[in-house]
Amino acid sequence: AAGARAAVITFEPHPARIVAPAHEPRLLTPGPEKFRLLMEAGIERVLLLRFDRAFSGLSAREFLNHCLLVHFPRPRLFVGHDQRFGRGREAGVAEIEALGRELGFEVATIAPLALDGEVVSSTRVRQLVERGDFVEAERALGRPFAIAGAVVHGDARGSTIGFPTANLDLLPEQILPPFGVYAGRAVLGDRALPAVTNIGVRPTFGGNRLRVEVHLLDFSDDIVGLRVAFEPAAMLREERKFSKINELTDAIRADVQAARRLLGAPPPSSSPGPPGSK
């Protein structure tokens, strides 16, 4: 409204990793997805600050003088109603407003957002994701919750049993729902494709490493190296260990059929060609 440029200041890694590592939260939105969403929201500039031990020792005044005002000499600063920054979280909204008056910039406070009388917070959204309540998580986020990562080569287990998968390379700190099989959408560029995804360690194959494997329905293009965001809609079943491979194959086939019904995806008109995603 003022004809100014819209900018966001953010930090990496999450400050809790430095100041309270035992309480570091899982990330709802990894860096690349955060930047994409900010750009889509009309943000013109993102200032990414490296949060380390030295940075955590800056006072609120030092932060404003040496970080904020260097990049934005005459800002209008918007802060959340519960915002605190500076060494030991010394400055809350009242202190930030006082510093703004002293240093010559305006401070505006963003009121809390509430849904059904409950304040929306990242903690609240994490709780919803961790219990698999994607409908409420989407209401709180204003967008579907997504698990995003680049597609990397796997060991082709899925291809050998007729269900090729795209293996997502995730940041270890990204939040995930409980282990299990999910129906949802896989967003690839400007395409949203129905998909079934397994989140877990693949116990049938003796696995012990976390994997997120996305099977895109009726799709066989080579997408290794591309970024995929999977938006889970519902859990189909918990991850379990099968004693025989044919039992696993039957279960996955049933998962795909259930996903088609849930997502309204029609049955395939023909069998897909050789997969190139794993």
Side-chain angles (χ1 to χ4, degrees):
R5 297 174 65 192
V8 160
I9 302 171
T10 187
F11 308 96
E12 194 173 281
H14 192 288
R17 179 181 297 181
I18 305 301
V19 300
H23 301 287
E24 180 186 1
R26 295 287 184 177
L27 295 182
L28 285 168
T29 314
E33 297 306 305
K34 180 193 295 185
F35 299 144
R36 179 183 64 80
L37 290 165
L38 288 171
M39 295 300 105
E40 290 179 359
I43 299 301
E44 299 171 71
R45 184 177 176 187
V46 176
L47 177 61
L48 177 63
L49 299 175
R50 177 71 180 176
F51 198 99
D52 54 19
R53 182 61 62 184
F55 189 92
S56 72
L58 294 177
S59 69
R61 182 186 296 274
E62 289 171 330
F63 167 73
L64 292 171
N65 275 320
H66 302 311
C67 297
L68 176 71
L69 298 178
V70 167
H71 295 279
F72 308 104
R74 296 182 61 187
R76 185 183 187 197
L77 181 63
F78 291 83
V79 296
H81 69 284
D82 57 353
Q83 175 73 56
R84 302 196 70 87
F85 59 70
R87 183 174 50 242
R89 294 170 53 85
E90 65 180 0
V93 171
E95 291 80 10
I96 297 168
E97 289 175 342
L99 285 166
R101 288 191 295 270
E102 179 184 337
L103 298 173
F105 62 86
E106 182 183 354
V107 177
T109 304
I110 302 171
L113 173 68
L115 290 175
D116 301 328
E118 187 168 7
V119 173
V120 174
S121 67
S122 57
T123 298
R124 168 69 174 154
V125 179
R126 289 186 187 97
Q127 292 170 346
L128 293 169
V129 170
E130 287 173 339
R131 71 173 187 235
D133 190 343
F134 306 118
V135 173
E136 286 301 309
E138 180 172 350
R139 285 187 69 213
L141 286 170
R143 59 178 172 82
F145 166 73
I147 304 162
V151 178
V152 296
H153 286 287
D155 53 17
R157 290 280 192 183
S159 296
T160 62
I161 60 174
F163 297 97
T165 58
N167 299 271
L168 302 190
D169 184 24
L170 306 180
L171 293 175
E173 59 265 34
Q174 181 167 354
I175 195 168
L176 294 171
F179 285 3
V181 179
Y182 293 84
R185 301 192 319 160
V187 179
L188 178 63
D190 58 358
R191 291 179 290 179
L193 306 167
V196 175
T197 294
N198 185 78
I199 300 172
V201 296
R202 303 196 308 175
T204 301
F205 297 108
N208 56 14
R209 182 167 65 88
L210 173 65
R211 295 172 184 260
V212 175
E213 301 174 305
V214 184
H215 173 63
L216 295 93
L217 275 56
D218 316 320
F219 183 86
S220 59
D221 292 358
D222 187 346
I223 57 174
V224 170
L226 300 183
R227 194 165 185 85
V228 169
F230 175 68
E231 300 173 353
M235 177 189 272
L236 299 175
R237 60 176 172 86
E238 295 181 349
E239 186 178 51
R240 55 170 292 200
K241 182 176 181 178
F242 294 90
S243 58
K244 298 178 181 179
I245 298 300
N246 66 314
E247 292 178 356
L248 171 62
T249 304
D250 290 342
I252 296 175
R253 187 174 294 111
D255 295 336
V256 170
Q257 292 172 350
R260 288 189 186 280
R261 291 192 297 270
L262 189 148
L263 301 171
S269 55
S270 60
S271 298
S277 60
K278 179 175 179 182

